[in-house]
Amino acid sequence: MKLAGVELRRIGMPLVAPFRTSFGTETERDVLLLRVVTDDAEGWGECVAMSDPLYSPEYVDAAADVLRRFLIPALAGHRSLDGNAVGPALAPFKGHRMAKAALEMAVLDAELRALGRSFARELGAVRDRVPCGVSVGIMDSIGELLDAVGGYLDAGYVRIKLKIEPGWDVEPVRAVRERFGDDVLLQVDANTAYTQADARHLARLDPFDLLLIEQPLDEENVRGHAELAKIVATPICLDESITSARAAADAIALGACQVVNIKPGRAGGYLEARRIHDVCVAHGVPVWCGGMLETGLGRAANVALAALPGFVLPGDTSASDRYYRTDITAPFVLENGHLPVPTAPGLGVTPDPDRLDAVTTGTEWLPV
Ligand code: SMG
Ligand code: MG
């Protein structure tokens, strides 16, 4: 394929309810979409960077800037562009993994649409539907939390993840266990809100039989997680720290994680995400697919990834209506706690043009 140009499209998607984590509250998702146009086909990419650099160093304006100034121009001269060629072509530029991931996703989508092959088939999926969990934000009260969790369990979600922070950890977990019982698959995510000095406190979560505690410490404190794992019996799962297959190999070797959350955006793309999966499988480390409040585009690719054999825990791959009243693609609808893996070429979904226009806040055509 030869690249003709890339359209950057910024959209604003109001969330059905505010989503509070230890680093902030989201009420609207500010998303950068990419549409790559090649001589063969078009492809869509979704950048998972958020408006502010609070989850990771990346943010939407920076992603747009680095794509415009460096990443897209780096693909310009390529005569035989395909998904596999994107990573090496962008490798000279440090960091900016979410921006790189979005561009690789779009090129891969174009390539696979041209070949008539699905993301799932390309990545090595072995399932046609995936079990889904849901990530539940920090609430103002335990009562509100129990209502939210009850609603998600009624909807069929097979696993609940509670966002935690100092002051909102043991009590919400206890309340959910008391109300909904010991059979509910339950885990927590701290988004780096604790320090090693909190080890004894975090060990108070041990009696609640959680599947895992996700990223309690700073993303660079990998050794700290290994120390924490000696004190806390609940399995440690890393999210923010796992930026590559190499980072996963190092964290596993150090004993810093017993489970890995795989997010393609955080790791520079779906191909590196698959390599993380492979490293974890080789070490017997279970993985699951994380979420970044994606639209139907990113969700389609995540569900395909989550169908790989090493994804043995339910992911944060929730249905469209958990996030948005109206998605930009045909909505992903929960069926018995599962989402179907798209089978049509490429992502298997396309944005609805009217819906897309309704949420667009800006577009920019970048010819190459
Ligand atoms: O997409 O359902 C989703 C969100 C899942 O909790 C979620 N993501 O650290 O895992 C995480 C967070 C990062 C985004 S929070 C705005
Ligand atoms: Mg997380």
Side-chain angles (χ1 to χ4, degrees):
M1 300 191 304
K2 189 151 178 1
L3 192 60
V6 180
E7 182 186 69
L8 301 184
R9 182 183 285 255
R10 202 72 174 255
I11 62 174
M13 303 267 287
L15 292 169
V16 292
F19 184 53
R20 180 173 156 204
T21 66
S22 62
F23 61 80
T25 304
E26 306 294 322
T27 54
E28 184 180 273
R29 189 70 172 97
D30 169 21
V31 189
L32 177 67
L33 299 180
L34 278 68
R35 183 172 59 89
V36 308
V37 179
T38 75
D39 51 354
D40 251 346
E42 292 188 8
W44 288 93
E46 175 169 347
C47 182
V48 302
M50 327 241 4
S51 311
D52 304 321
L54 298 174
Y55 164 82
S56 79
E58 293 188 75
Y59 59 101
V60 188
D61 283 331
D65 185 68
V66 77
L67 279 158
R68 189 185 297 121
R69 294 172 62 185
F70 301 104
L71 306 183
I72 292 168
L75 301 185
H78 231 283
R79 286 177 188 286
S80 56
L81 184 66
D82 63 17
N84 288 330
V86 175
L90 304 184
F93 305 105
K94 309 292 188 199
H96 298 283
R97 290 181 171 90
M98 292 175 177
K100 291 175 177 176
L103 187 52
E104 184 193 80
M105 174 180 167
V107 172
L108 202 49
D109 184 34
E111 176 194 355
L112 295 175
R113 284 182 203 266
L115 293 172
R117 190 187 305 156
S118 69
F119 250 70
R121 170 84 194 142
E122 174 74 8
L123 294 174
V126 295
R127 286 184 279 268
D128 57 12
R129 56 178 210 148
V130 299
C132 299
V134 60
S135 177
V136 186
I138 295 166
M139 306 272 168
D140 290 335
S141 69
I142 297 281
E144 226 181 298
L145 176 73
L146 294 176
D147 287 347
V149 170
Y152 290 131
L153 290 173
D154 288 345
Y157 286 103
V158 302
R159 185 225 68 196
I160 300 292
K161 158 167 140 180
L162 303 183
K163 289 292 194 178
I164 59 167
E165 66 182 4
W168 182 266
D169 43 34
V170 178
E171 289 320 312
V173 167
R174 185 198 311 282
V176 168
R177 272 284 180 247
E178 277 176 4
R179 171 72 65 90
F180 301 106
D182 293 339
D183 291 342
V184 173
L185 298 182
L186 187 62
Q187 63 192 54
V188 294
D189 184 1
N191 289 108
T192 77
Y194 295 86
T195 70
Q196 272 173 266
D198 297 313
R200 300 266 163 226
H201 178 71
L202 291 171
R204 291 179 55 208
L205 292 169
D206 288 342
F208 300 104
D209 192 28
L210 301 178
L211 285 172
L212 55 91
I213 173 169
E214 184 178 342
Q215 197 74 40
L217 310 178
D218 186 76
E219 68 172 276
E220 293 183 2
N221 193 5
V222 175
R223 198 175 61 163
H225 285 96
E227 294 301 318
L228 192 64
K230 296 175 187 164
I231 297 169
V232 174
T234 305
I236 308 282
C237 171
L238 291 179
D239 170 357
E240 283 88 334
S241 298
I242 307 299
T243 51
S244 65
R246 174 170 295 176
D250 288 353
I252 292 167
L254 270 168
C257 61
Q258 290 74 53
V259 183
V260 169
N261 164 331
I262 300 186
K263 285 180 185 165
R266 191 194 63 215
Y270 284 86
L271 301 178
E272 186 69 6
R274 179 173 57 187
R275 290 188 279 271
I276 295 176
H277 161 272
D278 295 346
V279 164
C280 291
V281 168
H283 287 85
V285 171
V287 307
W288 54 281
C289 185
M292 291 293 288
L293 311 171
E294 285 89 347
T295 73
L297 292 170
R299 193 159 312 284
N302 284 350
V303 168
L305 180 71
L308 267 63
F311 286 77
V312 294
L313 292 170
D316 285 343
T317 47
S318 310
S320 297
D321 68 0
R322 179 256 174 268
Y323 311 93
Y324 307 112
R325 208 169 302 285
T326 319
D327 208 333
I328 53 169
T329 65
F332 278 85
V333 179
L334 210 61
E335 292 164 23
N336 285 322
H338 291 66
L339 287 184
V341 177
T343 53
L347 295 170
V349 297
T350 26
D352 174 79
D354 293 336
R355 179 60 199 148
L356 200 52
D357 283 345
V359 293
T360 295
T361 55
T363 61
E364 182 179 352
W365 171 249
L366 301 166
V368 298

